[in-house]
Amino acid sequence: PDAKLKSGIAGFYDGLSELWEDVWGEHLHHGYYDTGKKYTTIEAHKDAQIRMIDETLRWAGVDEGPQPKKILDVGCGIGGASRHIAHLYKSSQVTGITLSPYQASRANNISLDTGLAERCNFLVQDALALPADFAQQYDLIWSLESGEHMPNKPRFVENLISACKAGGRIVLVTWCHRDLKEQEKRLRFYE
C-alpha cells in the first residue's frame, strides 16, 4: 500500500503542479492575509505567500539565534519557499524534498535560472523514509503545508527530529481541523 500511495501522490503533483504554478506562482501554499485588506490581484496573493514565509520564520524565532547554514525543506513543491529562505540566509545551503519528479526537476530548473542552483538542490525523496545520511544534518527544517498529507504522522515527526542537528529548529506549518463535538454545528471562526 505504501508504494501505491507514494506513486499516487507523485502522479497527482506531477499532473497538477504546472497548472498551480500558472495560477499561484512559485509558492504552492497559502498566504498570510490581513483582516479587512482586499487581495484582488495575483500579485497581492503572491505577496501574501511570501509574507507567510517571513511571518512564520519570525514567529518561530529563526532570526533569534545563529543564521541557519543547512536547511531542509520537506514537501518543497517547486522550491519557492526554499529559494526565498536562501535569499534571506545568504550563506545557507537548502535541500528540498518532494515525492514528485516533476516538482524536483522544475525546482532545480528555476533555481538554475535564478542563480541559486549552487545553494538550492531538490530531490525526489520520501519524508517518511529519509536516508541515514540525513540524520543530524540540518539546523533548520522547514515544512509548510505538507505534514497534513503524511499518512504516518508520528514517523514524519520522528524523521524531522532525526534530521535536525542538536540546537536546530523544526518549523512545521500545517492546516488541519478537528472533528465536531456532538453538540457543535460548525467550527469556530478561528478554527
Side-chain angles (χ1 to χ4, degrees):
D2 277 354
K4 186 175 180 181
L5 177 64
K6 288 179 210 173
S7 175
I9 292 168
F12 177 78
Y13 284 100
D14 283 350
L16 289 173
S17 292
E18 187 175 4
L19 170 66
W20 290 335
E21 182 181 359
D22 287 344
V23 174
W24 281 29
E26 68 176 327
H27 298 280
L28 306 182
H29 59 81
H30 292 87
Y32 188 96
Y33 300 96
D34 292 306
T35 303
K37 183 177 176 184
K38 297 200 185 291
Y39 294 84
T40 57
T41 67
I42 293 295
E43 287 310 311
H45 174 68
K46 290 178 181 179
D47 289 345
Q49 290 173 304
I50 292 168
R51 184 161 175 226
M52 176 65 136
I53 299 166
D54 293 340
E55 290 293 330
T56 301
L57 290 168
R58 184 187 61 75
W59 175 82
V62 174
D63 287 333
E64 293 171 10
Q67 285 202 348
K69 302 280 187 220
K70 199 164 180 190
I71 300 165
L72 178 63
D73 183 352
V74 180
C76 63
I78 60 171
S82 296
R83 284 184 295 280
H84 183 71
I85 292 170
H87 278 296
L88 295 174
Y89 305 111
K90 302 291 187 205
S91 61
S92 65
Q93 291 292 133
V94 183
T95 300
I97 62 172
T98 176
L99 286 176
S100 167
Y102 174 86
Q103 287 184 341
S105 175
R106 182 70 181 126
N108 282 315
N109 288 336
I110 295 171
S111 295
L112 185 62
D113 292 345
T114 58
L116 285 169
E118 295 291 319
R119 295 186 38 232
C120 295
N121 182 43
F122 300 92
L123 311 169
V124 176
Q125 176 61 56
D126 182 1
L128 298 179
L130 294 178
D133 64 347
F134 275 54
Q136 304 297 309
Q137 291 298 307
Y138 301 93
D139 47 20
L140 175 61
I141 298 178
W142 172 266
S143 181
L144 178 61
E145 295 181 15
S146 65
E148 61 271 21
H149 304 297
M150 301 294 169
N152 186 332
K153 287 165 184 51
R155 185 183 320 151
F156 173 60
V157 172
E158 288 166 7
N159 284 351
L160 298 182
I161 292 167
S162 174
C164 193
K165 285 182 180 178
R169 291 185 190 261
I170 299 170
V171 180
L172 174 60
V173 179
T174 186
W175 47 263
C176 55
H177 73 86
R178 63 175 175 79
D179 292 331
L180 294 176
K181 296 177 183 166
E182 203 170 296
Q183 69 276 18
E184 292 178 308
K185 301 248 188 271
R186 63 177 185 246
L187 295 174
R188 290 169 272 198
F189 76 93
Y190 56 84
E191 294 181 299

